[in-house]
Amino acid sequence: MTDHIINLIESFLIIIFLHASCLERPTKKTVILSAVFTVLSFLHISWVNTFSVYEDIGMKIVDIAILAVYMKLISGASWSRVLMITTIPLVLIASINICTASFFSWLFYGGLDYPRLAGEHYGLMIFLTKVLFLAVSQVTAILLRKKTDWLSSSDCITILVLLILFSMIITFFENLVFYQDFSADWIILVLTCINGSAILVVYLIHKLNATVRSGLRTQHNLEVLQAQLDSFQSFEAKQAQLNKWAHDMKHFYNALLNTEHNEIAEKMKTMYEEMQLPIILTKEPYGLVLNAKYREAKQAGIDYNCSIRADIRINMDRYDLCLLLSNLLDNAIYHIGSGKKILVEIDDIQDYSRIRITNSIDGPVLDENGSFIFSGDNHGHGYGVNTILTLTSNYNGRCLFEEADGNLISTVIIPSGRTV
Amino acid sequence: MPANNMNVVIIDDDHEDLLRVQQCLHQILGEMKIPYKILTSDSFSGLSPQPHTFYVLDIDMPGQDGFKIAKEINDWQPSSAIVFCTNHMHLIHDAMRPNTLYFVNKSNLREQMTLAVKKYIANRGLAEDFQFQFMKHSFSIPWSDIICFNTSGNNLLITVTNTPEPYAVHKSMKSIRDDALKNHFISCTSSYMINMYHIKTIKDPYVYLSEGKKIKAGARAIRYVEEARLSFLLRL
């Protein structure tokens, strides 16, 4: 009976950990699912313990499968992330058990004597290990929820493999500590696992380092962009007045045409037609980026045209939207072909907002799969394209790069979040 | 069967610009081998909004507001397309109110007008009409006006924009399937083919279409339609 209660508590603690690792607060649905899966996990463990149908690895696999289904249902996260997180409690429980048992055995008896410890201090050990697991798992859950949402699917799989290797190493130590059972095949297996873990840790560090560097670069881009936007805002206010004058000027010279002041009117008309005024989209944050890049493009001798439905509210965070546009336009400006033409189109279509940048190119830049061909000359494309893909994906949007008629056409669609 | 004519109306108070835009459209539509009719005017007064028309409006006309004209056209004939055409980019900011198809800068007229025409054709379609007999009358309806086809018993129901009841005709879904696929239709369920251009939104388990029509589909079909629609929207 006691064992069943302990199993129930353990199942409950694992479910609490899984819930906390993906959701901040429970909802009615998650509470019901948590209760159902706690019972399922408990029944499974109790059934295995009672009837000894399959133990060790078999039991762990089924238990992970049950917990993975639970987590998938409450979080909707990818399977790789779900499996990574559901493996964590098994490693935590085993490592806490082994550490606590070893520590108290050494404290009470000056060496490893698990049977005696279990006989004399079973209740204390159970209580301590569960409390420790609760504390450690909750801290882990918070870290998982807040700090690991950027992990890619392949990162999650790497960590999952690492956790499985850790689990095997811990199982070896469990056998050693609790049953003093170790054999040559186990030692070989564990040493292989340790070597494998070392390789994976190095690989993971290298990969995470690259991700952090890419993140820093994005952060740097954001800071540069903010500086550009700030400096452009004061410039734009002055230009707005100029635009108003230009607009009035057209009406004025039209009134003067075919009168005795026709000559002056013609001069004014010529002046009006030769003016290069900025695009004004003050209501939308992307207007600032469009203008900043408009100036950059003009300085580089690029013919930069826009066709924009200015009422489009793109359902993205201001900085993300600016970063997305700035990357799209940077790619177009820096990798422009000799045609030197850029066309910016922003409109909406069905329940999506659409951004399309068309720029001239001199030769193929995409392979047959639509992916960029990176060479030494256009390596800068890589960072920009990754940022575009990540931002688009973060907002459940889609991105397409196509070549047509000597142009690169980059199209991004983002759900507008409005009902049409 | 001839393809549909493209009806074009150009309104610009500047006579030189009017001729320039007209000439440009003659060239573009001629090269694209699209049969067309062009009407030009220096003002909207005296004209009435026409359906399925490609309007090219100057924004900045003394005494007339291009946006008001566009709004009037939109209100009366939503099937028409509005293309604003102006000299300066700074007027883009006002091109927000009406349902604008495109904004063309006169300094880059040829190139941008070509894009506007291409977009119009992609969106509205100029393919041959869908023809059928209903109540002993012959009907010819642009594919772009058909929201969906569905089977009901031995009949094929054709739901068309601005038509309260679907037309029921003695045709099979199989007989129209290939033509429908060419005109951006997609199978949503075994009995429905929907025009991707008329999808408003997709919220599992429904596909919401123009004019408040909605179709219930299975989870797999919803995913298939959503994927096809995203691909369609990215290339449109």
Side-chain angles (χ1 to χ4, degrees):
Chain A
M1 185 62 189
T2 315
D3 283 346
H4 288 324
I5 293 170
I6 292 166
N7 286 343
L8 183 62
I9 292 170
E10 193 170 289
S11 298
F12 179 62
L13 291 179
I14 292 173
I15 289 287
I16 289 181
F17 160 75
L18 295 179
H19 192 287
S21 66
C22 60
L23 295 171
E24 207 162 336
R25 287 195 179 81
T27 62
K28 196 177 168 185
K29 181 189 163 193
T30 62
V31 168
I32 294 168
L33 282 171
S34 301
V36 169
F37 277 84
T38 302
V39 173
L40 267 180
S41 173
F42 158 69
L43 287 176
H44 169 246
I45 294 169
S46 297
W47 179 61
V48 171
N49 287 348
T50 309
F51 299 104
S52 301
V53 273
Y54 51 83
E55 286 187 294
D56 295 334
I57 291 174
M59 186 183 81
K60 282 179 184 172
I61 289 171
V62 176
D63 206 32
I64 286 177
I66 293 170
L67 297 172
V69 171
Y70 162 75
M71 205 168 156
K72 183 76 182 169
L73 286 174
I74 63 162
S75 71
S78 66
W79 278 110
S80 52
R81 187 175 169 82
V82 162
L83 286 171
M84 177 192 80
I85 293 177
T86 44
T87 316
I88 292 172
L90 301 182
V91 176
L92 281 183
I93 288 171
S95 55
I96 287 171
N97 284 351
I98 200 169
C99 281
T100 318
S102 304
F103 176 72
F104 281 97
S105 186
W106 169 77
L107 194 69
F108 293 145
Y109 315 117
L112 288 179
D113 193 350
Y114 173 70
R116 194 173 158 199
L117 183 72
E120 292 174 8
H121 302 285
Y122 185 68
L124 174 71
M125 295 306 299
I126 293 295
F127 176 75
L128 277 176
T129 50
K130 298 307 167 216
V131 169
L132 265 174
F133 173 68
L134 178 65
V136 174
S137 66
Q138 285 305 303
V139 173
T140 312
I142 292 166
L143 289 174
L144 280 168
R145 195 175 69 231
K146 294 188 173 170
K147 307 281 184 193
T148 63
D149 52 352
W150 50 269
L151 282 176
S152 69
S153 200
S154 64
D155 292 339
C156 289
I157 290 169
T158 311
I159 295 170
L160 172 67
V161 174
L162 204 53
L163 286 168
I164 292 168
L165 292 180
F166 283 164
S167 178
M168 291 173 78
I169 296 166
I170 290 167
T171 307
F172 168 76
F173 278 104
E174 273 181 331
N175 289 338
L176 183 70
V177 173
F178 298 145
Y179 314 111
Q180 279 82 48
D181 175 26
F182 59 95
S183 55
D185 52 346
W186 258 109
I187 290 171
I188 292 165
L189 183 66
V190 163
L191 288 176
T192 311
C193 287
I194 290 171
N195 285 333
S197 305
I199 293 167
L200 277 181
V201 166
V202 172
Y203 168 73
L204 206 59
I205 289 171
H206 174 74
K207 201 153 181 281
L208 296 183
N209 184 40
T211 311
V212 168
R213 275 164 56 187
S214 166
L216 287 174
R217 191 188 150 83
T218 304
Q219 182 65 31
H220 174 70
N221 280 350
L222 267 176
E223 284 163 10
V224 171
L225 185 67
Q226 184 57 46
Q228 276 183 338
L229 295 181
D230 290 344
S231 67
F232 201 78
Q233 254 169 342
S234 60
F235 167 78
E236 197 195 42
K238 289 171 189 152
Q239 287 287 0
Q241 188 62 38
L242 192 60
N243 286 331
K244 191 174 175 303
W245 290 345
H247 189 79
D248 294 343
M249 189 174 162
K250 185 174 181 188
H251 292 279
F252 188 57
Y253 76 65
N254 266 315
L256 290 180
L257 279 172
N258 303 322
T259 66
E260 59 189 293
H261 304 294
N262 195 45
E263 199 180 331
I264 298 168
E266 287 294 346
K267 274 186 187 173
M268 286 172 75
K269 188 179 178 187
T270 311
M271 276 172 68
Y272 176 80
E273 285 169 358
E274 285 173 359
M275 272 191 287
Q276 286 291 348
L277 294 170
I279 313 147
I280 299 295
L281 290 159
T282 45
K283 287 180 184 171
E284 293 300 331
Y286 58 76
L288 299 167
V289 179
L290 287 180
N291 276 318
K293 299 300 168 191
Y294 169 69
R295 285 167 62 79
E296 251 182 82
K298 284 286 171 193
Q299 280 164 5
I302 297 167
D303 187 7
Y304 180 103
N305 287 291
C306 299
S307 181
I308 295 165
R309 281 275 313 279
D311 59 328
I312 304 298
R313 299 268 185 278
I314 299 175
N315 195 18
M316 287 178 80
D317 170 79
R318 180 178 194 267
Y319 288 107
D320 284 349
L321 176 55
C322 289
L323 194 61
L324 174 70
L325 259 178
S326 125
N327 271 290
L328 282 165
L329 288 167
D330 278 346
N331 278 346
I333 292 169
Y334 296 134
H335 305 283
I336 193 85
S338 49
K340 292 212 163 213
K341 278 185 181 171
I342 292 177
L343 174 67
V344 183
E345 295 168 274
I346 299 176
D347 59 5
D348 64 355
I349 180 87
Q350 297 180 2
D351 50 348
Y352 282 81
S353 304
R354 181 172 56 183
I355 301 168
R356 179 170 283 161
I357 313 286
T358 308
N359 64 281
S360 48
I361 46 172
D362 285 339
V365 293
L366 301 174
D367 62 21
E368 63 274 14
N369 300 320
S371 304
F372 277 92
I373 304 164
F374 294 114
S375 65
D377 296 340
N378 69 356
H379 188 67
H381 250 316
Y383 296 107
V385 171
N386 279 339
T387 308
I388 292 163
L389 293 174
T390 308
L391 285 170
T392 310
S393 157
N394 287 348
Y395 287 89
N396 298 320
R398 288 295 172 93
C399 185
L400 178 74
F401 299 100
E402 280 181 310
E403 286 174 6
D405 306 327
N407 290 313
L408 171 68
I409 304 167
S410 314
T411 308
V412 169
I413 54 173
I414 301 285
S416 62
R418 67 191 171 83
T419 310
V420 289
Chain B
M1 276 182 291
N4 282 336
N5 268 338
M6 181 165 160
N7 294 319
V8 180
V9 174
I10 308 166
I11 302 171
D12 197 325
D13 64 316
D14 188 316
H15 188 65
E16 277 179 34
D17 282 351
L18 192 68
L19 288 176
R20 210 153 64 87
V21 173
Q22 186 185 18
Q23 190 60 34
C24 177
L25 275 164
H26 275 308
Q27 285 177 0
I28 293 168
L29 298 172
E31 282 170 19
M32 291 169 83
K33 295 185 177 149
I34 296 169
Y36 62 92
K37 284 187 286 189
I38 296 184
L39 176 71
T40 59
S41 174
D42 59 356
S43 81
F44 188 62
S45 56
L47 299 175
S48 57
Q50 294 298 313
H52 301 292
T53 300
F54 183 86
Y55 280 93
V56 181
L57 302 178
D58 182 24
I59 302 171
D60 195 20
M61 295 181 283
Q64 293 179 86
D65 183 343
F67 301 124
K68 279 187 186 160
I69 298 171
K71 189 170 184 316
E72 198 173 328
I73 295 167
N74 272 161
D75 288 348
W76 287 92
Q77 294 297 345
S79 64
S80 287
I82 308 289
V83 173
F84 284 116
C85 192
T86 191
N87 276 310
H88 287 291
M89 296 176 85
H90 69 268
L91 284 167
I92 295 171
H93 72 289
D94 274 332
M96 61 177 71
R97 283 159 288 187
N99 184 21
T100 319
L101 175 78
Y102 216 78
F103 175 91
V104 171
N105 194 323
K106 284 181 186 171
S107 64
N108 198 10
L109 185 63
R110 175 68 195 262
E111 197 169 324
Q112 293 200 352
M113 191 61 87
T114 306
L115 288 170
V117 170
K118 280 184 180 170
K119 189 171 175 181
Y120 176 77
I121 293 164
N123 287 5
R124 321 276 157 141
L126 288 169
E128 292 165 3
D129 287 355
F130 178 69
Q131 299 184 333
F132 59 91
Q133 296 278 329
F134 178 70
M135 308 280 277
K136 295 182 181 172
H137 291 285
S138 292
F139 283 82
S140 181
I141 292 177
W143 282 94
S144 58
D145 281 2
I146 300 171
I147 299 173
C148 64
F149 294 101
N150 67 293
T151 50
S152 174
N154 291 328
N155 287 333
L156 181 71
L157 303 185
I158 308 159
T159 307
V160 180
T161 53
N162 298 318
T163 311
E165 292 296 324
Y167 298 100
V169 297
H170 285 293
K171 273 181 186 269
S172 68
M173 187 70 95
K174 197 178 169 189
S175 67
I176 57 110
R177 188 180 186 81
D178 288 346
D179 284 339
L181 289 173
K182 279 182 214 157
N183 286 282
H184 308 304
F185 280 72
I186 184 171
S187 287
C188 178
T189 67
S190 56
S191 58
Y192 269 95
M193 280 199 88
I194 56 176
N195 188 341
M196 281 199 279
Y197 192 74
H198 283 287
I199 296 176
K200 290 294 176 188
T201 191
I202 296 175
K203 281 181 189 159
D204 199 359
Y206 291 105
V207 179
Y208 291 83
L209 301 172
S210 301
E211 303 190 358
K213 191 167 177 63
K214 67 177 182 181
I215 295 161
K216 192 173 182 182
R220 190 177 289 179
I222 286 278
R223 278 200 299 276
Y224 169 65
V225 173
E226 180 68 354
E227 280 303 315
R229 177 173 80 123
L230 290 176
S231 178
F232 168 73
L233 295 181
L234 278 167
R235 290 177 169 86
L236 195 60

